[in-house]
Amino acid sequence: MGIRDNLELIRKQIPNDVKLIAVSKTKPIEDLYEAYYVEQRVFGENKAQELKEKAELMPKDIEWHFIGHLQTNKVKYIVPFVSLIHSIDSLRLLSEVNKEAIKNNRIVSCLMQIDIAHEQTKFGLLKQEAIELLTSVEYNDMKNIIFCGVMGIGSITDDKEQTRYEFRELKSIFKELKERFFSDTNNFREISMGMSDDYMLAIEEGSTMVRIGSSIFGARNYGTQL
Ligand SMILES: *Cc1c(COP(=O)(O)O)cnc(C)c1O
């Protein structure tokens, strides 16, 4: 099956109100075009320079999402055009995004990455750290970023109940943060969870954005993926 068939199949499975982010990291530009030609307009990448290069080669009506670990010195590459940064995991990173956003005269939409898997190799804030960030003076002074919700990556496991538990935890943290910090705004409404192996489960548990790579574009070469 090719990219088009894969996309068609996935679109039939997911509800209309769940956004499908085609994760094209490591894939050549021809593959992105193949998805583009069948109306895919939302793409996700996890490396700042790769994202910038691809954005320059692709049509301008694409929404680019940054989904990987973001280093502060790379923020400048993506802030001028990125639609959503899924992976804010520190106040320091957020400050840098705000600073670059000011330079570019933009308001940048962000998600807080929450650590739900508790694996050494994964990034993200614990709930308490997210609360500390949201109550900090620095954050409350930032004018050029908007938090639109949370993102999480489930454990690498075959245990579906473990994954379900983690997704439930993310949803519950989302609700708590929304009630406590964002009750007066509609912006905070996204839960980015679910990848190729677990997106249907994520949708059952309340995901509003799924990030799907290999089920659309095929397996990636080992060593280049997350
Ligand atoms: C690579 C990646 C994905 C997509 O993974 P697949 O298993 O190929 O669907 C989703 N989210 C993040 C953060 C990623 O790095």
Short mmCIF file of all heavy atoms in Angstrom, two decimals, residues 23 25 46 67 151 153 195-196 211-214 220 226, ligand 1:
data_model
loop_
_atom_site.label_atom_id
_atom_site.label_comp_id
_atom_site.label_asym_id
_atom_site.label_seq_id
_atom_site.Cartn_x
_atom_site.Cartn_y
_atom_site.Cartn_z
N VAL A 23 3.22 12.76 10.26
CA VAL A 23 4.58 12.92 10.76
C VAL A 23 5.59 12.44 9.71
O VAL A 23 5.74 11.25 9.48
CB VAL A 23 4.77 12.17 12.10
CG1 VAL A 23 6.23 12.25 12.57
CG2 VAL A 23 3.83 12.74 13.17
N LYS A 25 8.92 13.15 9.44
CA LYS A 25 10.35 13.20 9.80
C LYS A 25 11.13 12.11 9.08
O LYS A 25 10.64 10.98 8.96
CB LYS A 25 10.51 13.05 11.31
CG LYS A 25 10.02 11.72 11.88
CD LYS A 25 9.95 11.77 13.40
CE LYS A 25 9.68 10.39 13.96
NZ LYS A 25 9.27 10.43 15.37
N ASN A 46 10.25 16.58 13.75
CA ASN A 46 10.86 16.65 15.08
C ASN A 46 12.27 17.24 15.11
O ASN A 46 12.93 17.19 16.13
CB ASN A 46 10.85 15.27 15.75
CG ASN A 46 11.83 14.31 15.10
OD1 ASN A 46 12.24 14.52 13.95
ND2 ASN A 46 12.22 13.28 15.81
N ILE A 67 7.05 18.63 16.73
CA ILE A 67 6.63 17.63 17.73
C ILE A 67 7.78 17.05 18.53
O ILE A 67 7.56 16.25 19.43
CB ILE A 67 5.87 16.46 17.04
CG1 ILE A 67 6.78 15.75 16.03
CG2 ILE A 67 4.60 16.97 16.37
CD1 ILE A 67 6.19 14.45 15.51
N MET A 151 0.42 17.76 25.36
CA MET A 151 0.86 16.66 24.50
C MET A 151 1.51 15.59 25.36
O MET A 151 2.12 15.91 26.39
CB MET A 151 1.87 17.19 23.47
CG MET A 151 2.43 16.15 22.52
SD MET A 151 3.90 15.31 23.12
CE MET A 151 5.03 15.72 21.81
N ILE A 153 3.43 11.40 25.15
CA ILE A 153 3.87 10.23 24.38
C ILE A 153 3.76 9.02 25.31
O ILE A 153 4.33 9.01 26.40
CB ILE A 153 5.34 10.38 23.93
CG1 ILE A 153 5.52 11.68 23.12
CG2 ILE A 153 5.78 9.16 23.11
CD1 ILE A 153 6.96 11.97 22.73
N MET A 195 -0.10 7.75 18.36
CA MET A 195 0.82 7.60 17.23
C MET A 195 0.38 6.35 16.46
O MET A 195 -0.68 5.81 16.72
CB MET A 195 2.27 7.47 17.75
CG MET A 195 2.57 8.56 18.75
SD MET A 195 4.19 8.72 19.53
CE MET A 195 5.30 7.63 18.73
N SER A 196 1.21 5.88 15.54
CA SER A 196 0.78 4.77 14.68
C SER A 196 0.24 3.57 15.45
O SER A 196 -0.76 2.97 15.06
CB SER A 196 1.94 4.31 13.79
OG SER A 196 2.21 5.30 12.83
N ARG A 211 -0.70 12.08 16.00
CA ARG A 211 0.54 12.30 15.26
C ARG A 211 0.97 10.96 14.66
O ARG A 211 1.46 10.09 15.36
CB ARG A 211 1.64 12.81 16.21
CG ARG A 211 1.19 13.97 17.12
CD ARG A 211 2.30 14.34 18.11
NE ARG A 211 2.77 13.19 18.87
CZ ARG A 211 2.31 12.84 20.07
NH1 ARG A 211 1.39 13.55 20.68
NH2 ARG A 211 2.80 11.77 20.67
N ILE A 212 0.74 10.80 13.36
CA ILE A 212 0.95 9.48 12.76
C ILE A 212 2.02 9.55 11.67
O ILE A 212 1.92 10.33 10.72
CB ILE A 212 -0.38 8.94 12.20
CG1 ILE A 212 -1.42 8.90 13.33
CG2 ILE A 212 -0.17 7.55 11.59
CD1 ILE A 212 -2.75 8.31 12.94
N GLY A 213 3.06 8.73 11.85
CA GLY A 213 4.17 8.71 10.90
C GLY A 213 4.22 7.43 10.10
O GLY A 213 3.79 7.37 8.94
N SER A 214 4.73 6.37 10.70
CA SER A 214 5.01 5.14 9.94
C SER A 214 3.77 4.52 9.32
O SER A 214 3.87 3.91 8.25
CB SER A 214 5.77 4.14 10.81
OG SER A 214 5.28 4.12 12.11
N ARG A 220 10.58 4.07 9.26
CA ARG A 220 11.74 4.95 9.08
C ARG A 220 13.02 4.15 9.27
O ARG A 220 13.01 3.11 9.92
CB ARG A 220 11.70 6.08 10.13
CG ARG A 220 10.64 7.10 9.88
CD ARG A 220 10.59 8.11 11.02
NE ARG A 220 10.25 7.53 12.30
CZ ARG A 220 9.00 7.34 12.75
NH1 ARG A 220 7.98 7.71 12.01
NH2 ARG A 220 8.78 6.80 13.92
N LEU A 226 12.93 9.01 16.72
CA LEU A 226 12.94 9.51 18.11
C LEU A 226 13.71 8.55 19.01
O LEU A 226 13.46 7.36 19.02
CB LEU A 226 11.47 9.60 18.58
CG LEU A 226 11.25 10.15 19.97
CD1 LEU A 226 11.40 11.66 19.94
CD2 LEU A 226 9.86 9.77 20.46
C1 LIG B 1 7.93 10.08 15.34
C2 LIG B 1 6.89 10.64 16.22
C3 LIG B 1 5.54 10.33 16.02
C4 LIG B 1 5.04 9.38 14.96
O1 LIG B 1 5.43 8.08 15.24
P1 LIG B 1 4.84 6.81 14.45
O2 LIG B 1 4.94 5.71 15.43
O3 LIG B 1 5.74 6.62 13.27
O4 LIG B 1 3.46 7.11 14.07
C5 LIG B 1 4.61 10.93 16.86
N1 LIG B 1 4.98 11.77 17.84
C6 LIG B 1 6.28 12.10 18.06
C7 LIG B 1 6.61 13.04 19.16
C8 LIG B 1 7.27 11.54 17.25
O5 LIG B 1 8.55 11.88 17.48
#
